[in-house]
Amino acid sequence: MSTIITTHAGTMVVHLATGLTCHGEIDIAIADQLVADCGQQLAELALPAGSVFVVDLSGVTFMDSAGLDALLDLHDLVEEFDLVCVVRRASAAVHRIVALTAHPEQLGWLDVPSRPGLVAPA
């Protein structure tokens, strides 16, 4: 699959052969579309079971609770395809919203090592 770039208001998502990279805002305005686009990407990629699907959040400048919900939905979606979801390089905006959540056990796969209970994936 070649690189596909989708844009939403304030957000650019680059779909790669083994994951995606987000730049800009992940909020209520694009959360559902982000998950839907990723589902389409996963169906087209048909990666072998057990493959790692990397979500790079280093370019995220803002994330609200809808964005966090989208990440949780994205994680579940990736697992439905029998893949391993790994978030790498979470930005400060991602760190802020994760720090507000009361469910760190749901986010054990998230690369936010500065918070107790959250560990970077092996």
Side-chain angles (χ1 to χ4, degrees):
M1 175 181 184
S2 59
T3 302
I4 298 173
I5 299 175
T6 58
T7 57
H8 308 280
T11 305
M12 179 176 67
V13 180
V14 180
H15 301 270
L16 306 169
T18 58
L20 57 89
T21 301
C22 298
H23 301 276
E25 302 174 359
I26 302 178
D27 57 17
I28 195 166
I30 68 106
D32 291 339
Q33 189 63 50
L34 176 65
V35 176
D37 288 354
C38 188
Q40 181 179 351
Q41 176 188 10
L42 288 165
E44 291 173 7
L45 286 175
L47 295 170
S51 295
V52 174
F53 187 83
V54 177
V55 180
D56 184 331
L57 299 178
S58 60
V60 174
T61 57
F62 174 81
M63 180 181 284
D64 64 7
S65 61
L68 184 58
D69 286 342
L71 273 185
L72 293 170
D73 291 346
L74 182 67
H75 178 263
D76 292 344
L77 179 64
V78 169
E79 286 191 337
E80 286 176 20
F81 281 85
D82 205 17
L83 304 172
V84 177
C85 184
V86 176
V87 173
R88 300 265 191 230
R89 300 173 8 155
S91 70
V94 176
H95 285 248
R96 278 191 295 277
I97 191 69
V98 169
L100 298 174
T101 186
H103 304 288
E105 67 280 356
Q106 290 180 293
L107 302 171
W109 50 274
L110 187 62
D111 178 22
V112 187
S114 63
R115 175 135 187 252
L118 297 180
V119 295

